[in-house]
Amino acid sequence: MATSRSDPLTLDVIELIGGVVARYHEEYDRAAAAHALTGAQARVLGLLSLEPMPMRKVARKLKCEPSNITGIVDRLELRGLVERRPDPADRRVKLAAPTQEGIRTARQLRDALDFAREPLAELSEAERTVLRDLLRRMLGTEADDDS
């Protein structure tokens, strides 16, 4: 049986998701400001700290224009947090990669994001797995992908 898009449970879930997203952005922006970074710079640095990647891929993952990412990477590079290097698989492609200072800063940013970590710690591993899988399903990324 299909669920109405305006049933009370669906509206409550939408409202709760909005609250989580708002708190995430507030905390991320606050953590970024403590390092004199914008929220966007912190998100790019955090993504690059997982793996170096071409700026086009960063733009795809963050759903923004590649030219925006170029400007953000330029500013992070000036701060000594990111460097551009040739892709070993294709030397025509440049990868944006965190420096050691960038990795340290990204770790500090992640460590500052407490709002979700503490409530998630109260969930069992099985509950966190179900939550993760449901969120992936909502986003249409049921398996970990590169897009």
Side-chain angles (χ1 to χ4, degrees), residues 127-144:
E127 288 170 325
R128 289 193 314 271
T129 299
V130 168
L131 179 58
R132 180 204 59 202
D133 293 349
L134 288 170
L135 291 169
R136 283 181 174 170
R137 192 164 139 200
M138 286 179 67
L139 293 171
T141 57
E142 291 185 46
D144 238 348

Side-chain angles (χ1 to χ4, degrees), residues 1 11 18-19 22 34 55 61 63 80 86 92 97 100 102 108 111 128 143:
M1 179 170 162
L11 294 175
M55 286 178 273
K61 285 187 171 279
K63 298 181 181 2
R92 296 169 297 174
Q100 287 304 314
Q108 290 172 346
D111 290 348
R128 289 193 314 271

Side-chain angles (χ1 to χ4, degrees), residues 33-45:
H35 292 276
L37 296 170
T38 65
Q41 289 170 337
R43 282 185 279 284
V44 168
L45 182 60

Side-chain angles (χ1 to χ4, degrees), residues 40-41 43-59 61-62 66 68-78 80-88 90-100 102-103:
Q41 289 170 337
R43 282 185 279 284
V44 168
L45 182 60
L47 187 58
L48 293 175
S49 73
L50 301 175
E51 68 171 308
M53 63 185 74
M55 286 178 273
R56 252 183 217 298
K57 185 174 180 180
V58 175
K61 285 187 171 279
L62 296 179
N68 292 342
I69 298 303
T70 300
I72 292 169
V73 169
D74 287 346
R75 288 185 285 287
L76 290 171
E77 194 171 29
L78 285 172
L81 300 173
V82 169
E83 64 186 9
R84 288 175 170 92
R85 59 172 85 137
D87 183 341
D90 183 349
R91 297 191 60 79
R92 296 169 297 174
V93 175
K94 290 282 189 202
L95 298 178
T99 61
Q100 287 304 314
I103 291 169

